[in-house]
Amino acid sequence: MPFMKAAGVRLHYQVEGREGAPWLVLSNSLGTTLEMWAPQMPALLEHFRVVRYDTRGHGESSAPAGPYSISQLGNDVVALLDHLGIARAHFCGLSMGGMTGIWLGIHQPQRIDRLVLCNTAAQIGSADTWNTRIEKVKQEGVGAVVPTVIDRWFTSDFQRAAPEQVNIVRDMLLRTSPEGYVANCAAVRDMDERAGLGRITAPTLVIAGKFDTSTPPGDGKFVADSIPDARFVELNTAHLSNWEAAEEFSSNVVNFLRRD
């Protein structure tokens, strides 16, 4: 199990795919692990050398004392690229991972080839909402927020049709370190990069979910409209669009990253 140690954190990562293929980094949402990208891996590995990692505070990565910031999460990616000797890579992130991608596109443009921002925004929710969630998890554990989170992440139709897949994601949530979860909640709470979106120069695809209440389509459209020449796609999903419309999601990502 490979790890990278830098800036007081130990990051767990995996590298898969054909040597010499274009590099693609995948960044998970709050409360999941690198396994959240399992539905995409068969399609992505046909074309890319894929780096997945557990964001600090998640999975097998360490959970140093928080709160965290989006700049920390972004610099973790830069350190991982340096560790692997990668000068530039495509980047795809969902929700918190998408916020990390926004930060990288603004502040580390020399490291990013193409950018895919999924079910995300340059600012998500209010400070009060995040503080309430942080206190609930501190007092009652991650399990206390799981039912609400699952209902935001998946439509009721998908929950009925694919309970096994929903359970896989639920288990990821339940295994998340409470300390890591609340530290990352703070990073999401405190990020507001709306004013910087116009500085992103990487070719960008924004994916939104029609029924996403966490990051509504309007938030994604704002991101796409603010980034020069960005493309916008809306899928018939809630927040975890890569699970609920896995094939369509994968096709959009592959076609965009391979576009001349």
Side-chain angles (χ1 to χ4, degrees):
M1 188 177 291
F3 290 94
M4 175 209 72
K5 292 183 179 179
V9 67
R10 186 185 72 158
L11 283 189
H12 169 232
Y13 68 91
Q14 291 183 6
V15 179
E16 301 164 271
R18 173 176 53 86
E19 290 191 19
W23 287 102
L24 169 62
V25 178
L26 302 176
S27 186
N28 57 283
S29 67
L30 176 67
T32 67
T33 72
L34 56 78
E35 292 299 329
M36 75 160 281
W37 297 107
Q40 279 63 60
M41 292 308 292
L44 295 179
L45 290 177
E46 290 185 26
H47 307 285
F48 305 104
R49 183 93 159 138
V50 178
V51 180
R52 292 185 284 171
Y53 71 101
D54 292 332
T55 300
R56 62 166 63 204
H58 291 79
E60 299 298 327
S61 292
S62 64
Y68 306 154
S69 66
I70 287 294
S71 62
Q72 280 181 301
L73 305 190
N75 279 311
D76 286 345
V77 176
V78 174
L80 182 57
L81 293 176
D82 290 344
H83 175 75
L84 295 172
I86 303 170
R88 293 171 63 88
H90 301 315
F91 184 94
C92 175
L94 191 146
S95 194
M96 181 180 69
M99 299 179 93
T100 303
I102 289 171
W103 187 91
L104 289 165
I106 295 170
H107 299 283
Q108 293 287 332
Q110 72 279 7
R111 308 305 296 266
I112 303 299
D113 279 330
R114 294 193 175 201
L115 194 55
V116 184
L117 306 173
C118 315
N119 301 86
T120 195
Q123 182 187 48
I124 296 178
S126 67
D128 286 345
T129 298
W130 286 107
N131 288 335
T132 298
R133 189 187 299 195
I134 287 169
E135 287 307 311
K136 191 172 186 65
V137 172
K138 283 182 176 179
Q139 296 296 324
E140 303 176 41
V142 176
V145 301
V146 166
T148 301
V149 170
I150 290 295
D151 284 343
R152 287 176 178 160
W153 282 6
F154 300 114
T155 63
S156 56
D157 286 347
F158 186 78
Q159 290 186 55
R160 285 191 296 268
E164 300 88 354
Q165 293 185 54
V166 174
N167 283 335
I168 293 171
V169 176
R170 182 182 288 108
D171 287 344
M172 279 190 256
L173 271 165
L174 289 169
R175 292 197 305 267
T176 303
S177 153
E179 295 78 14
Y181 189 88
V182 299
N184 279 288
C185 282
V188 175
R189 176 196 65 196
D190 296 341
M191 173 171 158
D192 184 358
E193 289 282 4
R194 290 174 293 180
L197 289 168
R199 291 160 48 196
I200 294 177
T201 56
T204 301
L205 169 66
V206 179
I207 296 176
K210 182 177 181 179
F211 307 109
D212 187 349
T213 59
S214 297
T215 50
D219 289 359
K221 192 68 166 57
F222 177 84
V223 171
D225 288 346
S226 300
I227 298 173
D229 302 317
R231 296 166 61 99
F232 178 77
V233 172
E234 185 177 303
L235 305 179
N236 288 317
T237 70
H239 193 54
L240 255 58
S241 59
N242 71 307
W243 282 73
E244 196 156 355
E247 187 173 339
E248 188 177 5
F249 181 100
S250 300
S251 176
N252 274 284
V253 171
V254 169
N255 290 340
F256 173 73
L257 294 180
R258 300 189 71 224
R259 190 166 55 115
D260 291 333

